[in-house]
């Protein structure tokens, strides 16, 4: 089981309590599709992803970004058992969506970068460490049920 | 995955724009590497301390940024231009190349934090590619 310090716990809760999901979700997913273009393979029916401007202005990308970000809420509420919490979602991503789990890591990296931009200097080294540890656990759990 | 001419311009322009904060960026990035990935401290046993923003961390962060700016000046031939640095890392420092990726993560976070308006997804893409190519050039002489 993952051990969380008091600092890590309160940091994660704080970040998500103050998160503007409608801004961060869309930005994170759009950034992922721009910086790692091969991730676009999962969004064939999202319409125009031909260039960065199109991706960043695409309403389906924005909407899906919000969905994905809200998906993290479950982990925030169940930090002591993220693996079990995401078992079903892991199966979904493996058996139905066929997403290479490395993509979870790519999106997590983009999310860190967007949150850093939102928080500025409040995103200290310790906060970054806590946030990236949280995301690493989420990423690992989402990949756990692949076989 | 090589840099297009357009991406090279993006990299040169962006790094030119932020050069005044280069020392802070280096210090901040190295501090974060040591905090977020504590295993990287193993390379610095010989330092008096590895605490965030301490003197040795600041000095070395500035040093590393100097290397990065040298690479920005040699975008048309990173492998050739960074041969000496590669030999240093391969034969003397022997830093496991996985750490280049970890450092890249830290510097990208710092750039996003300090320059939220300028570090657009397009700039992020070009800089990420540049850092990956820089890491490859540094690892060139490893084996």
């Amino acid at each position: 089981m993952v051990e969380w310090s008091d600092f890590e716990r309160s940091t994660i809760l704080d970040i998500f309590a103050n998160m503007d999901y409608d801004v961060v979700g869309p930005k994170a997913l759009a950034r992922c599709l721009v910086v790692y273009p091969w991730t676009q393979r999962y969004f064939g029916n999202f319409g125009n992803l031909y260039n960065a401007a199109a991706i960043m202005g695409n309403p389906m990308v924005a909407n899906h970004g919000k969905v994905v970000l809200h998906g993290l809420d479950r982990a925030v509420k169940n930090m002591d058992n993220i693996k079990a919490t995401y078992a079903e979602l892991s199966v979904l991503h493996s058996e139905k969506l066929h997403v290479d789990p490395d993509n979870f890591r790519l999106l997590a990296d983009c999310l860190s970068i967007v949150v850093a931009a939102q928080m500025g200097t409040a995103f200290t080294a310790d906060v970054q460490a806590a946030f990236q540890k949280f995301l690493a656990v989420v990423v690992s759990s989402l990949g756990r049920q692949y076989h | 995955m090589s840099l297009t001419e357009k991406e090279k311009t993006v990299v040169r322009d962006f790094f030119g724009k932020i050069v005044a904060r280069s020392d802070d960026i280096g210090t901040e990035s190295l501090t974060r590497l040591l905090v977020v990935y504590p295993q990287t401290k193993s390379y610095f046993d010989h330092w008096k301390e590895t605490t965030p923003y301490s003197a040795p961390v600041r000095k070395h962060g500035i040093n590393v940024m100097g290397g990065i700016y040298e690479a920005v000046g040699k975008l048309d031939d990173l492998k050739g231009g960074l041969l000496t640095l590669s030999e240093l890392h391969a034969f003397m420092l022997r830093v496991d190349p996985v750490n280049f990726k970890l450092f890249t993560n830290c510097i990208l976070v710092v750039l996003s934090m300090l320059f939220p308006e300028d570090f657009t997804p397009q700039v992020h893409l070009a800089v990420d590619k540049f850092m990956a190519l820089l890491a490859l050039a540094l690892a060139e002489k490893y084996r």
Side-chain angles (χ1 to χ4, degrees):
Chain A
M1 209 187 77
V2 182
E3 299 285 337
W4 302 100
S5 70
D6 290 340
F7 172 81
E8 286 167 342
R9 241 179 244 280
S10 59
T11 296
I12 299 305
L13 290 172
D14 262 353
I15 290 177
F16 281 89
N18 295 310
M19 175 104 72
D20 189 346
Y21 285 75
D22 289 347
V23 166
V24 172
K27 279 190 173 173
L29 183 58
R31 192 168 279 255
C32 189
L33 296 171
V34 169
V35 178
Y36 309 111
W38 53 95
T39 57
Q40 292 168 27
R41 75 190 302 285
Y42 303 106
F43 302 104
N45 62 337
F46 270 32
N48 187 357
L49 300 177
Y50 298 137
N51 54 45
I55 292 169
M56 281 146 70
N58 185 311
M60 287 182 84
V61 169
N63 213 49
H64 195 65
K66 293 179 204 174
V67 167
V68 169
L69 191 56
H70 277 293
L72 289 179
D73 288 343
R74 266 187 265 186
V76 176
K77 293 194 173 86
N78 292 288
M79 280 178 71
D80 289 317
N81 208 347
I82 294 177
K83 193 165 77 178
T85 303
Y86 280 146
E88 221 181 283
L89 263 178
S90 179
V91 169
L92 175 81
H93 282 77
S94 164
E95 304 197 348
K96 186 149 177 271
L97 305 175
H98 304 293
V99 177
D100 181 336
D102 194 57
N103 290 279
F104 306 144
R105 183 184 59 82
L106 298 178
L107 180 57
D109 284 351
C110 287
L111 186 54
S112 293
I113 296 223
V114 171
V115 169
Q118 299 292 119
M119 291 180 66
T121 47
F123 199 65
T124 63
D126 290 327
V127 168
Q128 179 186 346
F131 192 59
Q132 290 193 196
K133 176 177 168 180
F134 171 77
L135 290 178
V137 174
V138 167
V139 164
S140 165
S141 304
L142 278 175
R144 189 71 182 74
Q145 305 304 325
Y146 279 61
H147 61 95
Chain B
M1 291 189 275
S2 40
L3 286 167
T4 62
E5 286 310 316
K6 188 155 172 249
E7 285 165 345
K8 286 182 194 173
T9 306
V10 168
V11 170
R12 286 185 191 116
D13 283 352
F14 181 70
F15 277 90
K17 198 169 189 178
I18 65 177
V19 69
R21 303 278 320 257
S22 162
D23 288 359
D24 287 339
I25 295 168
T27 305
E28 195 67 59
S29 302
L30 188 57
T31 287
R32 276 154 200 272
L33 181 71
L34 300 167
V35 168
V36 179
Y37 306 105
Q39 68 272 21
T40 57
K41 290 190 282 191
S42 62
Y43 289 96
F44 304 107
D45 284 338
H46 56 287
W47 283 0
K48 211 169 79 179
E49 54 187 332
T50 50
T51 35
Y53 313 105
S54 59
V57 173
R58 184 166 175 80
K59 180 163 178 253
H60 194 61
I62 293 172
N63 197 13
V64 170
M65 279 312 283
I68 292 176
Y69 270 89
E70 193 186 320
V72 173
K74 297 180 174 171
L75 284 183
D76 291 322
D77 181 18
L78 282 172
K79 285 209 175 112
L82 299 178
L83 225 40
T84 316
L85 269 176
S86 181
E87 282 168 359
L88 175 74
H89 284 76
F91 305 128
M92 277 215 54
L93 303 176
R94 286 177 291 198
V95 174
D96 190 311
V98 75
N99 295 286
F100 302 150
K101 285 204 176 88
L102 304 183
F103 184 77
T104 295
N105 167 248
C106 292
I107 196 176
L108 293 180
V109 165
V110 171
L111 292 177
S112 177
M113 198 179 84
L114 295 178
F115 309 101
E117 301 302 321
D118 296 297
F119 196 64
T120 62
Q122 297 94 317
V123 169
H124 177 171
L125 168 59
V127 174
D128 194 39
K129 279 175 76 170
F130 162 64
M131 292 301 294
L133 290 166
L134 170 49
L136 272 175
L138 278 181
E140 180 66 17
K141 300 303 250 174
Y142 269 55
R143 56 176 172 172

